[in-house]
Amino acid sequence: MIAGHELGHYVNGDEPRSSIATFSYTANEEAEADKFGIGLLYEFAENEDLVFDTSQDFSQAFSIPKNRQLQVDELAKNHRNVFYSF
């Protein structure tokens, strides 16, 4: 999830705002980077024929933060073959 999230910042063209020790992004940029990472995980699951009972099981398997469960659920609608039932 972390690698996909960071790749999402790059693909989305996000420009980090830096301070002396850290980079930061807007809340919207963070949400979009998470969405990109979650999408990559769904593609991985499909390619590897991984199947989950629920979207929560998917989130837990890939350490997706609980505050992104709505994004997981939204993307799950387009990846129904990753679930036994949705």
Side-chain angles (χ1 to χ4, degrees):
M1 178 61 196
I2 294 168
H5 169 94
E6 296 305 331
L7 183 59
H9 282 304
Y10 175 77
V11 169
N12 294 336
D14 296 341
E15 294 290 330
R17 287 150 258 336
S18 64
S19 64
I20 292 175
T22 63
F23 292 107
S24 65
Y25 296 94
T26 66
N28 186 56
E29 289 170 335
E30 292 294 342
E32 288 299 312
D34 279 346
K35 185 176 179 180
F36 184 88
I38 293 164
L40 285 179
L41 291 170
Y42 272 122
E43 289 180 28
F44 172 77
E46 287 175 331
N47 289 336
E48 296 298 317
D49 295 322
L50 301 177
V51 181
F52 300 89
D53 289 328
T54 67
S55 61
Q56 290 82 8
D57 291 341
F58 176 88
S59 293
Q60 187 174 27
F62 292 110
S63 301
I64 297 170
K66 290 183 181 187
N67 68 335
R68 294 299 186 212
Q69 190 60 45
L70 289 176
Q71 286 180 315
V72 171
D73 293 341
E74 183 63 31
L75 288 172
K77 295 174 187 174
N78 297 321
H79 299 275
R80 293 181 186 268
N81 56 336
V82 175
F83 302 100
Y84 285 113
S85 61
F86 186 79

